Amino acid sequence: MQIVLAILVGGAFGFVLDRIGATNPNVITGMLTLRRLRLMKTILLAIGTGSILMFGGQMLGLVEVGHMSVKAAYIGVFIGGLLLGAGWAASGFCPGTGVCAAATGRRDALFFIAGGLLGAAAYMATYPAWKASGLLADIAGGKVTLGTVPGSAYAGIWAVSGDLLGIVLGLVFVLVAFVLPEGIGGGHVQEMPAE
Amino acid sequence: MTLDWKLGGILLGAVFFAAVLLVKPIGVSTQFVILDGIVADAVSPDFITQTDEGWTSTNAYMAKSSGKYAASAAGPLNYGFVFVLAMAVGAFLSSMLRGGVPLAERRAPEIWRANFGDTPWRRYAVAFAGGFVVLYGARLAGGCTSGHMMSGMMQTALSGYIFAAGAFLAAVPTAMLIYKEG
């Protein structure tokens, strides 16, 4: 059953990533240079929509709170984010969209995946040094959510209802998605070359 | 033929929601480690071994958290790995249905050509180096754009916000520096 769900949800995710332009390095780069922000609007709306549905569903008892999976906070999250950001901007791919872009026939995405496999292997080899450095040690409680979600395995930073805060933040994401302009100056590359 | 951002955003949000409703939040970058583990174990069969309690590896990272990565590499027909393979199939179907990616684009994206001309091998070198840094960073962070940024911020995870701050802080200046045209 899990495998069937993996095929259905994974397939839908890949399909939608392609349809919103996320498999296209022109679109990703346009977003990261702030010239074309349509994808940013899409992603913000998606995070907001997902958040409202998930926390709303949890409040109504329709969504299993135990399905939440919160990752730990540590200094390495920030350093890793910086590294990922630099490579993301240079290549126009992130791990998921790189795999999807390769499937659409983009040759550079195959090189991205090859580099990614080597990069992951390099991390596997250097993991003990990171571990010893203390940069992987939990900060601010590690696996925490901003509010306190009833019935979840994770602590909250603030005592406010994590469900309500999740819905409020979800609405903020949606609001920002609508307020954000479609682009900030410049740019002439077509997002989807005509053919 | 990019979807209208409102429709696209709601559809993508619905996929995030479906994932957490049915199984667990979406994540991708771990599967690069799993594929590395599968390859390493094929080359050197002692890389992953079975124990009384489960699986372990000679690599400390594969063996961490009671060998959960080692177990996934030993049995790749698991949710996370199949999920990423299915993503590729979904993207392939979508691209076919919209007429496929033009040949020139497949060779090198338009924004690359606008900045650096017809230099596909330079582009492939940058994509390779970019992939290396992206996955190294993602593993250091414990997740990528999917797991930390989208799934993490959706769940109001502190780590998701820390990750997104780092990623955009580096990505925006880097993109502006490299891609002055287009």
Side-chain angles (χ1 to χ4, degrees):
Chain A
M1 189 56 196
Q2 286 255 312
I3 299 300
V4 175
L5 290 174
I7 292 168
L8 292 177
V9 183
F13 187 41
F15 194 97
V16 174
L17 280 179
D18 185 67
R19 284 303 156 117
I20 61 174
T23 60
N24 184 339
N26 300 311
V27 177
I28 297 282
T29 311
M31 173 177 80
L32 295 178
T33 56
L34 310 181
R35 290 170 201 149
R36 293 178 294 278
L37 295 175
R38 218 165 54 178
L39 179 63
M40 181 68 87
K41 289 162 78 75
T42 307
I43 293 171
L44 290 168
L45 178 59
I47 294 173
T49 304
S51 214
I52 293 166
L53 289 174
M54 188 190 89
F55 285 111
Q58 288 182 180
M59 286 185 89
L60 296 171
L62 301 171
V63 176
E64 182 59 58
V65 182
H67 283 188
M68 282 180 76
S69 175
V70 172
K71 294 171 186 288
Y74 49 86
I75 304 294
V77 172
F78 186 72
I79 304 172
L82 289 172
L83 288 171
L84 179 136
W88 186 27
S91 64
F93 300 120
C94 55
T97 63
V99 169
C100 288
T104 69
R106 290 183 180 274
R107 288 178 206 158
D108 47 352
L110 291 173
F111 286 87
F112 174 86
I113 293 173
L117 288 169
L118 196 65
Y123 184 72
M124 288 161 70
T126 52
Y127 167 73
W130 285 106
K131 184 85 183 150
S133 73
L135 294 169
L136 306 185
D138 283 354
I139 55 166
K143 295 184 177 183
V144 293
T145 49
L146 300 182
T148 305
V149 182
S152 88
Y154 308 104
I157 294 179
W158 297 299
V160 296
S161 158
D163 287 335
L164 279 180
L165 183 64
I167 292 173
V168 169
L169 286 173
L171 289 170
V172 171
F173 273 101
V174 173
L175 185 70
V176 175
F178 274 90
V179 171
L180 198 72
E182 296 233 350
I184 303 172
H188 55 75
V189 166
Q190 291 293 310
E191 295 207 327
M192 280 289 161
E195 181 145 315
Chain B
M1 197 175 43
T2 313
L3 282 180
D4 173 69
W5 72 268
K6 296 190 206 77
L7 179 58
I10 287 170
L11 284 176
L12 185 62
V15 174
F16 294 161
F17 175 65
V20 79
L21 173 69
L22 298 168
V23 190
K24 61 176 182 178
I26 286 172
V28 175
S29 69
T30 304
Q31 304 314 318
F32 280 75
V33 172
I34 303 308
L35 184 53
D36 279 338
I38 293 169
V39 172
D41 195 52
V43 174
S44 153
D46 292 338
F47 187 72
I48 295 169
T49 46
Q50 197 155 16
T51 65
D52 292 342
E53 292 91 41
W55 298 86
T56 190
S57 169
T58 50
N59 178 268
Y61 190 63
M62 290 294 293
K64 85 178 181 98
S65 308
S66 312
K68 67 174 179 185
Y69 293 160
S72 294
L77 207 65
N78 59 64
Y79 179 82
F81 198 70
V82 173
F83 184 94
V84 174
L85 297 180
M87 280 174 71
V89 176
F92 171 76
L93 289 177
S94 165
S95 75
M96 285 295 118
L97 289 173
R98 64 179 167 84
V101 177
L103 193 63
E105 265 296 301
R106 279 189 266 157
R107 224 169 102 83
E110 187 182 2
I111 196 156
W112 177 269
R113 284 175 275 140
N115 284 277
F116 305 105
D118 186 26
T119 54
W121 285 98
R122 269 182 71 194
R123 165 64 186 165
Y124 301 154
V126 168
F128 183 87
F132 184 97
V133 178
V134 164
L135 265 301
Y136 193 93
R139 285 299 86 209
L140 171 58
C144 62
T145 338
S146 305
H148 259 316
M149 203 183 286
M150 295 173 173
S151 302
M153 293 204 294
M154 176 180 96
Q155 298 177 92
T156 70
L158 174 66
S159 51
Y161 284 90
I162 295 174
F163 178 85
F168 280 102
L169 206 61
V172 171
T174 306
M176 286 179 165
L177 210 65
I178 299 180
Y179 298 100
K180 295 207 163 52
E181 294 293 321

